[in-house]
C-alpha cells in the first residue's frame, strides 16, 4: 500500500507579515498532483491543518477545496487535529465527510477505532491519535499520569488492544501529533512542554508498522518506521536549511517499509540568513544569489547604522527581519536584553528572575515543581479556552 505522509499545513499562517495563502494553495495543488502521479492509496495528514483554533475564512475555503479534490480523486484521506487546531471545529461533520473517504480523527475517545483499508495483501488499519493535551485527556484515556508519555502510552494501549483482535497479518499505521525524542525542533512550533518535559520516547509506538508524525517542522527519520514529514512551507527563518517534503511510503505485504521517498514541495521563495556589518552585506558579491530571497539580516556593526532596513532593501528587496548583534565581548554590560535571553526557555528565564530578586539564591526542587506547574496551568487554560471556542 502506498501512503503519502504530510503534516503541519498551518493554513492561514503568514511569514513575517507576508501572507502565505497563495503558497499554501500551490502546495495543495502539488499534493493532489502527487496523489495522481504516484498512484497513492491513502493520504495521511498528521495534524496542525490550521494555524489557529479559529482560522480565517480564506483558510477554511482553501481546506474545503482540498477536501473536495481529494474526495474526487477517490483516495482515502486520514487527518488528525494538532495542537494548533480546534479539535471540535475540525471534527464537525466528520461522520458525514467520512462517506466521501475523508476521515477526520479529532476525538481522543476514538484512538482505538481505525480506518480500515484493503489491498491485494489484506487489511491495513490506520489509527488517528489527535494531539493529546495531558491535563484534558488523562482521565478519558485512563492514563496513570498527566504527562505526554503517559497519555500517548494509554492511547497506544488501545491501539494495540484493537489490533490484537484483528485477523493475523493485519498491517497497522498510526498518525500522531507529538514531540518524540530524537526529533529536532525549530522556532515556529508552539511549546507543548508539560512539567518541564516535552519529548516522549519513540518506543511508545512499538507494535505498529508505520508511525506518521506531525508537530516538528523539519522532515526527519527517527527510525525506519517512525518519521516526521515536516511542514510543507517554512514558517520561521530557523527553517532556512530545511528541505520541505512529503514522505511517499510503500508498505509491504508483511508491514515492512519497502521504500520511503521524499517528494519535494514547491518553494515560494528561498530563505537566507545573512550576518555581518551592513556595508559588507551591501558590497559582498558572494551574496548575489540571495538578492531575491526572503532575508533575515543580523547586523554586527558596533554602532547601529543609519536607516539599515531601507539600505538593505535596496539590494535585498525581500528583507523581512532585522536583528542587531554588535560585535562585543560576552560580558559586555551593554548587551541587549534580547541577546542575554537568547536560546533560554520561559522557565529558565523565570528561574533566573527569582534567583535575582532573592540575591542569587537558586530554586530548589520543590520550587521548580511549583514554577513548572504554573506554566502548565497557563498552557492548559489556553488549550481549554481554544477547545471551547
Amino acid at each position: 500500500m502506498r501512503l503519502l505522509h504530510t503534516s503541519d499545513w498551518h493554513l492561514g499562517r503568514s511569514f513575517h507579515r507576508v501572507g502565505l495563502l497563495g503558497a499554501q494553495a500551490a502546495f495543495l495543488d502539488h499534493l493532489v498532483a502527487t496523489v495522481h502521479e504516484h498512484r497513492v492509496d491513502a493520504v495521511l495528514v498528521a495534524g496542525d491543518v490550521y494555524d489557529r483554533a479559529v482560522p480565517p475564512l480564506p483558510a477554511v475555503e482553501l481546506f474545503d477545496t482540498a477536501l473536495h479534490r481529494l474526495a474526487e480523486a477517490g483516495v482515502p484521506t486520514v487527518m488528525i487535529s494538532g495542537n494548533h487546531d480546534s479539535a471540535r471545529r475540525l471534527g464537525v461533520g466528520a461522520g458525514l465527510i467520512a462517506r466521501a473517504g475523508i476521515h477526520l480523527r479529532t476525538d481522543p475517545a476514538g484512538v482505538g477505532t481505525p480506518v480500515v483499508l484493503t489491498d491485494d495483501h489484506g487489511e491495513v488499519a490506520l489509527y488517528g491519535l489527535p494531539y493529546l493535551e495531558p491535563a484534558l485527556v488523562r482521565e478519558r484515556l485512563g492514563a496513570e499520569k498527566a504527562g505526554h508519555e503517559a497519555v500517548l502510552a494509554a492511547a497506544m494501549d488501545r491501539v494495540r488492544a484493537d489490533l490484537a483482535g484483528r485477523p493475523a497479518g493485519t498491517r497497522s499505521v498510526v498518525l500522531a501529533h507529538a514531540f518524540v525524542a530524537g526529533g529536532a525542533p525549530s522556532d515556529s512550533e508552539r511549546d507543548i512542554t508539560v512539567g518541564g518535559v516535552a519529548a516522549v520516547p519513540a518506543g511508545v509506538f512499538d507494535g505498529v508498522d508505520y508511525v506518521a508524525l506531525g508537530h516538528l517542522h523539519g522532515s526527519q527519520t527517527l527510525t525506519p518506521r517512525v518519521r516526521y514529514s515536516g511542514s510543507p512551507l517554512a514558517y520561521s527563518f530557523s527553517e532556512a536549511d530545511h528541505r520541505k517534503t512529503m514522505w511517499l511510503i510503500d508498505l509491504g505485504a508483511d508491514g515492512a517499509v519497502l521504500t520511503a521517498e521524499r517528494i519535494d514541495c514547491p518553494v515560494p521563495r528561498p530563505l537566507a540568513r545573512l550576518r555581518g556589518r551592513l556595508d559588507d552585506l551591501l558590497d559582498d558579491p558572494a551574496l548575489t544569489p540571495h538578492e531575491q530571497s526572503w532575508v533575515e539580516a543580523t547586523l554586527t556593526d558596533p554602532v547601529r547604522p543609519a536607516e539599515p532596513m531601507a539600505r538593505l532593501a535596496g539590494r535585498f528587496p525581500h528583507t523581512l527581519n532585522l536583528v542587531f548583534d554588535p560585535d562585543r565581548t560576552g560580558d559586555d554590560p551593554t548587551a541587549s536584553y534580547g541577546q542575554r535571553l537568547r536560546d533560554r526557555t520561559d522557565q529558565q528565564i523565570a528561574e533566573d528572575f527569582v534567583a535575582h530578586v532573592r540575591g542569587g539564591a537558586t530554586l530548589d526542587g520543590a520550587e521548580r515543581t511549583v514554577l513548572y506547574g504554573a506554566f502548565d496551568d497557563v498552557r492548559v487554560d489556553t488549550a481549554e479556552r481554544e477547545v471551547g471556542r
Side-chain angles (χ1 to χ4, degrees), residues 203-364:
V204 77
F205 298 107
D206 285 352
V208 296
D209 296 314
Y210 184 71
V211 181
L213 293 175
H215 180 58
L216 300 185
H217 289 180
S219 178
Q220 300 170 63
T221 300
L222 304 186
T223 77
R225 296 176 182 271
V226 182
R227 300 172 186 262
Y228 280 101
S229 68
S231 60
L233 298 171
Y235 293 116
S236 71
F237 277 102
S238 67
E239 301 165 58
D241 295 330
H242 286 189
R243 175 186 164 197
K244 296 300 184 180
T245 59
M246 301 177 285
W247 282 112
L248 190 66
I249 302 294
D250 281 331
L251 202 63
D254 60 353
V257 176
L258 300 179
T259 62
E261 178 185 354
R262 293 177 70 182
I263 304 295
D264 288 291
C265 297
V267 178
R269 191 178 295 278
L271 307 185
R273 303 183 94 173
L274 310 182
R275 181 182 180 89
R277 299 194 177 195
L278 178 58
D279 289 341
D280 293 338
L281 297 183
L282 295 178
D283 296 336
D284 188 351
L287 301 182
T288 299
H290 302 307
E291 290 179 350
Q292 295 305 312
S293 299
W294 279 324
V295 168
E296 177 185 72
T298 299
L299 301 184
T300 60
D301 301 71
V303 177
R304 184 181 298 236
E307 300 183 334
M309 181 62 88
R311 293 169 64 189
L312 278 167
R315 183 180 185 188
F316 306 102
H318 303 288
T319 300
L320 299 181
N321 195 37
L322 187 58
V323 179
F324 292 96
D325 187 15
D327 289 328
R328 293 168 175 157
T329 60
D331 57 355
D332 189 334
T334 63
S336 73
Y337 183 70
Q339 289 172 304
R340 286 183 277 123
L341 298 186
R342 184 177 300 157
D343 299 325
R344 300 185 66 76
T345 67
D346 290 344
Q347 291 162 341
Q348 289 171 328
I349 293 167
E351 287 188 27
D352 288 347
F353 173 76
V354 173
H356 171 72
V357 298
R358 296 200 308 194
T362 59
L363 280 71
D364 60 26

Side-chain angles (χ1 to χ4, degrees), residues 3 19-20 42 44 61 76 86 167 180 212 232 277 290 316 327 330 335 349 351 356 358 376-378:
L3 310 171
L20 292 177
L44 314 178
E61 292 173 339
S86 165
V180 179
R277 299 194 177 195
H290 302 307
F316 306 102
D327 289 328
I349 293 167
E351 287 188 27
H356 171 72
R358 296 200 308 194
D376 287 347
D377 288 345
V378 171

